[in-house]
Amino acid sequence: MSDQEKDSSVGSATSHSPLTTSLVVRDHRRIFVDNLYVYAVVSRRSKGVSIGINLNPDKICNFDCVYCQVDRKTPPVVREVDLSRLIEELYEMIELVQTGKLFEMERFRETPPHLRRLNDIAFSGDGEPTTCPDFFNIVEAIADVKQHRCQDAKLILITNASMFDRRQVKAALATIDRNNGEIWAKLEAGTEDYYRLVDRTTIPFQRILDNIKAEAQCAPLVIQALFMRIHDQPPPAEELEAFCDRLNEVTAAGGQIKLVQVYTVARVPAEAWVTALSDAEVDAIVELVQKRTGLTAEAFYGPS
Ligand code: SF4
């Protein structure tokens, strides 16, 4: 899920997590048209460059979020992940960032000096990364590259948490955790009904909640929560209360949540009747989450 912020991008410009906080330029045209799996974004949130890995080049997802920004009208270039090609693209991208050549490119020239650093390698593409059949082996291979070429970078998984109960996925999560990793799990509903309205999947809400709880008991999670207007209606107050209740259930069960990212639609969503919340509405949700759960919450706004 959810591609996070993509402020300027290079490579196979894809996005899983929905949000974006504009920084350098809001421009997502492809630059390296030859790249199939690896791209780069400059991110204010991560205070540096994030190298994105798209493990869903077929653009298939087990969710169908109303706010999804993946362009599914354009047919995919490839449908499967070629691991050796992916690793080759990753080496090249790391070199571009580390040598500074990335910032000689037109699209990255305006990057402020303090953001000209590699922050992370993030699994975030055109679908749910953990559904990739070779997910475990790919994570192992990328962790190995990171170990040798950019040890300090984080390894981030942006996910809808639907597959955490699979053995291979669990093993991959453990590898991510051992490699300066962070799991950003999306949760943006408090009730089954609202979850179905927003995420449009047949996967039961309880499975997502159980998966989040179990993973949070192993390692601290970041929760990504996108709220929006649906047919011009903001999320109902009782839904937001229920959302806080779900977070409290995770922590009451011994789960750790290190951050709740509250954001809204920042790019063209799948459905025209989905629109962004105002900055004040996002702030109000952050305040509610902090008050009701005691967790740290951060606001990320929509287009200004
Ligand atoms: S449909 Fe899939 S790719 Fe799109 S935002 Fe939802 S989880 Fe992410």
Side-chain angles (χ1 to χ4, degrees):
M1 154 179 82
S2 102
D3 116 285
Q4 67 239 8
E5 52 223 10
K6 293 214 163 64
D7 304 300
S8 6
S9 61
V10 62
S12 175
T14 59
S15 65
H16 170 67
S17 132
L19 161 59
T20 32
T21 301
S22 165
L23 168 64
V24 181
V25 279
R26 189 168 278 139
D27 187 339
H28 310 288
R29 284 173 296 166
R30 292 171 191 230
I31 300 175
F32 288 168
V33 287
D34 289 344
N35 267 18
L36 297 175
Y37 311 109
V38 176
Y39 56 96
V41 298
V42 175
S43 161
R44 182 173 54 186
R45 195 176 348 172
S46 67
K47 299 181 179 63
V49 175
S50 174
I51 294 180
I53 309 287
N54 180 15
L55 297 187
N56 307 92
D58 59 3
K59 304 189 183 186
I60 294 172
C61 189
N62 58 0
F63 276 30
D64 180 22
C65 303
V66 293
Y67 59 76
C68 185
Q69 62 185 17
V70 174
D71 169 16
R72 295 200 165 87
K73 289 186 185 125
T74 309
V77 178
V78 289
R79 294 190 176 273
E80 289 177 0
V81 177
D82 173 343
L83 181 54
S84 56
R85 166 83 184 245
L86 186 158
I87 295 298
E88 197 182 306
E89 290 182 6
L90 178 59
Y91 273 124
E92 283 171 8
M93 193 64 84
I94 291 171
E95 196 183 328
L96 271 179
V97 181
Q98 290 179 334
T99 59
K101 288 198 174 127
L102 182 77
F103 310 108
E104 291 170 10
M105 295 176 163
E106 194 190 339
R107 221 157 307 264
F108 289 88
R109 258 182 222 143
E110 302 300 314
T111 306
H114 69 288
L115 299 183
R116 295 184 175 205
R117 54 173 283 278
L118 177 59
N119 184 72
D120 61 80
I121 298 171
F123 297 97
S124 168
D126 289 347
E128 169 51 36
T130 59
T131 60
C132 176
D134 207 19
F135 183 62
F136 174 75
N137 290 327
I138 293 170
V139 168
E140 290 281 313
I142 289 176
D144 194 50
V145 172
K146 189 183 98 64
Q147 181 70 21
H148 290 99
R149 291 296 172 95
C150 50
Q151 207 173 359
D152 293 340
K154 286 184 185 171
L155 201 52
I156 296 177
L157 170 65
I158 300 175
T159 173
N160 63 23
S162 58
M163 308 286 283
F164 288 2
D165 49 334
R166 306 288 167 96
R167 196 169 50 85
Q168 290 281 309
V169 174
K170 264 189 203 162
L173 296 181
T175 299
I176 292 171
D177 191 37
R178 281 196 306 274
N179 282 276
N180 194 16
E182 277 186 2
I183 312 293
W184 294 12
K186 119 199 182 81
L187 180 69
E188 49 220 3
T191 63
E192 178 95 29
D193 283 353
Y194 199 74
Y195 160 78
R196 292 208 176 279
L197 176 73
V198 170
D199 294 336
R200 299 192 298 196
T201 175
T202 54
I203 296 167
F205 188 39
Q206 194 56 51
R207 178 162 137 198
I208 304 298
L209 296 172
D210 290 345
N211 283 350
I212 286 176
K213 197 182 291 176
E215 181 53 28
Q217 286 166 342
C218 298
L221 284 188
V222 173
I223 296 290
Q224 282 205 308
L226 187 145
F227 292 105
M228 74 218 91
R229 287 178 175 271
I230 295 179
H231 297 295
D232 208 31
Q233 295 304 308
E238 56 273 24
E239 189 61 36
L240 295 174
E241 292 287 338
F243 170 71
C244 293
D245 290 342
R246 302 295 84 78
L247 295 177
N248 283 333
E249 284 162 10
V250 173
T251 50
Q256 299 173 70
I257 295 174
K258 66 161 117 174
L259 177 65
V260 182
Q261 298 177 340
V262 177
Y263 55 112
T264 191
V265 180
R267 289 192 236 152
V268 180
E271 301 295 350
W273 37 265
V274 168
T275 49
L277 296 178
S278 67
D279 294 1
E281 287 170 322
V282 174
D283 285 341
I285 297 173
V286 166
E287 212 173 296
L288 176 75
V289 169
Q290 286 172 333
K291 195 168 140 214
R292 286 284 323 280
T293 68
L295 295 168
T296 304
E298 253 185 274
F300 296 93
Y301 305 116
S304 46

